[in-house]
Amino acid sequence: MQLQSEVIKELNGNLQSNDASIRRRAVEKYAQEEVEDGIIIKFIEMLYDEDIGVRDSISKLLIKNKRKSVAESLVPLISSEQISIRNLAGEILVQFGEHAVDPLSNYLTIANDDDQKFVVDLLSLIGSNNASTEIYKVLKTSKNSNVIIACIEALGSTRYAEAVQPISVLYNNNDLYKPTIVEALGRIGTKEAYDFLLQNYNVEDDLTKFAIIESFGALGDEEAFFILISDLKKFSGPLCWAAVESLSQLKERLALDIPFDDNVKNALLSVLRESELKYQKAAISLLAVYDDKDLILEVLSFYGMDELIDKQIKEQVFANPVNFIFALLKYDFEYNQNIKSVLELTKEVIGSFGAEILDKLGDINSKNLCEIFSGKLSHADEEIRRYCTELLFFCAPDLAILYIDEMISDDNIWNRLRLVEILEYFINNETVKEAIEKLCDDSEEMVSNKANEVILANR
């Protein structure tokens, strides 16, 4: 076995090569083993290598050797004048997790303001409560607002309950602190933190109020729930979005009921139309208490965009299948972007409840719905054409047969193959039989073979 000095000598030779591939292989040689501290220092020095492949290999090697002693050697790179090295060292230390907490905490005592903020940000990302005491010391002594904000955020991330009172004292010192303080108190989540937020709810500007409302979802009580319900009618934009998300969380956490109220419904619909996905999910979950055709029509436009939203919409649809069928008559099959998803859902509903559900529509409405399906038989999307073919034959075979020439001319092999499977059920109809015979001569062997099988089986 080579002595460490010989290993380092050989390693130095390879790492100083002008060929980046040789330097990279020198690193990768150690990729699958634990490396001694004396050797690992050589690799840390090579984080300055100009080749990104070499730096990436060293990063992976260091992460595989994550331990406190390696973190101690890596932490000084935080003060590098090269921002890329500083950031790379930070990314690796975050991967070290708990192994990096003590080395980073110790570095706080000698770091300047910029480095202190960077170290505190890293400790916040790691989220270990073991760093809280040292971060708290920096909070009490620092005069730099950026460092103070970083400390507040980190104490929230580490859920340091002892920080609630001193953080609350800072609340009125600087308006810049307020949103971060609110978020931190929300994460800490003690009764003292909640009481402080509730006390300041009605006196703050919209930016701070937004943060307070968001915190209510995690630590609010029934009082917060009914305050948000009451205020929902006067909120708009982001305040309304945040209130709806918190109400959704409070409803689930406290098993509370959303009131069946038009003001609430209109607020939920505005969030659904205007907000981002996470708020739309909350709105959809709360809209489940409302049972009407117009509401199902409204939410249908969002079907197919997210798995959770789809699950909630589907639950509403299957609880009210007749309302869903009526909603389809008003659904915009021309310009909505989720036609395919809605047709797939329609197929599921009719498959579960039977074509007789269309009887609830009445003859004229049933005919109008089937004409919508027939109007999509020439759609550019082959799946939409296939869904409409299936739906037509399921709901109105007589009408479907009128479009059989268009169906057998479909340029998608799988659509024609599916058509043969469907037509077998209507083989006694002369028009259908003629269509299958035409498909016996289809240019695609799979289609023609299947058509011939159907003819032979029904002679």
Side-chain angles (χ1 to χ4, degrees), residues 69 81 87 103 109 113 172 182 197 225 229 238 295 367 378 396 429:
S69 58
E81 292 182 1
N87 291 339
T109 61
D113 287 343
N172 292 313
V182 169
L197 296 176
F225 180 83
I229 287 290
L295 182 58
K367 181 182 177 184
S378 58
N429 181 284

Side-chain angles (χ1 to χ4, degrees), residues 98 101-102 105 123 126-135 158 160:
E98 197 67 45
V101 170
D102 285 345
S105 298
L123 290 170
I126 293 170
S128 170
N129 192 258
N130 292 326
S132 300
T133 303
E134 293 305 317
I135 296 170
T158 58
Y160 191 57

Side-chain angles (χ1 to χ4, degrees), residues 393 397-408 419-420 422-439 454-455:
F393 272 104
D398 291 343
L399 179 62
I401 290 170
L402 296 179
Y403 294 93
I404 205 162
D405 287 339
E406 185 174 354
M407 294 173 184
I408 65 175
L419 178 62
V420 176
I422 295 171
L423 292 179
E424 184 172 9
Y425 292 98
F426 304 94
I427 190 70
N428 292 328
N429 181 284
E430 194 60 36
T431 302
V432 170
K433 189 173 182 180
E434 289 174 4
I436 298 175
E437 289 173 346
K438 285 182 183 178
L439 289 166
V454 170
I455 294 293

Side-chain angles (χ1 to χ4, degrees), residues 2 9 39 46 108 116 167 212 272 285 312 320 423:
Q2 285 180 294
K9 183 177 179 180
I39 298 175
M46 286 300 293
L108 282 172
Q116 273 192 336
I167 287 178
I212 292 175
L272 193 60
S285 70
Q312 292 169 336
N320 303 283
L423 292 179

Side-chain angles (χ1 to χ4, degrees), residues 55 65 80 124 129 141 148 154 156 178 186 199 206 209 292 306 324 362 455:
R55 295 197 303 272
N65 286 270
S80 172
S124 180
N129 192 258
T141 58
I148 291 170
K178 286 185 175 181
Q199 174 188 332
D206 284 356
K209 182 171 282 191
D292 61 66
D306 174 83
F324 168 70
I455 294 293

Side-chain angles (χ1 to χ4, degrees), residues 320-371:
N320 303 283
V322 175
N323 283 352
F324 168 70
I325 295 296
F326 271 103
L328 288 176
L329 293 167
K330 296 181 180 179
Y331 175 80
D332 191 341
F333 280 94
E334 291 299 322
Y335 296 105
N336 274 320
Q337 300 298 308
N338 63 337
I339 297 173
K340 188 191 304 183
S341 298
V342 170
L343 286 170
E344 183 178 17
L345 178 60
T346 304
K347 182 182 167 185
E348 286 186 54
V349 170
I350 295 178
S352 297
F353 295 96
E356 60 269 17
I357 196 173
L358 297 186
D359 294 341
K360 305 287 185 179
L361 293 177
D363 291 342
I364 294 176
N365 284 334
S366 294
K367 181 182 177 184
N368 289 340
L369 183 59
C370 289
E371 285 181 351

Side-chain angles (χ1 to χ4, degrees), residues 413 416-417 420 435-456:
I413 176 177
R416 299 199 303 280
L417 194 61
V420 176
I436 298 175
E437 289 173 346
K438 285 182 183 178
L439 289 166
C440 288
D441 297 323
D442 194 273
S443 59
E444 293 290 345
E445 189 175 351
M446 277 197 301
V447 177
S448 61
N449 286 345
K450 180 63 179 175
N452 276 294
E453 285 177 18
V454 170
I455 294 293
L456 288 172

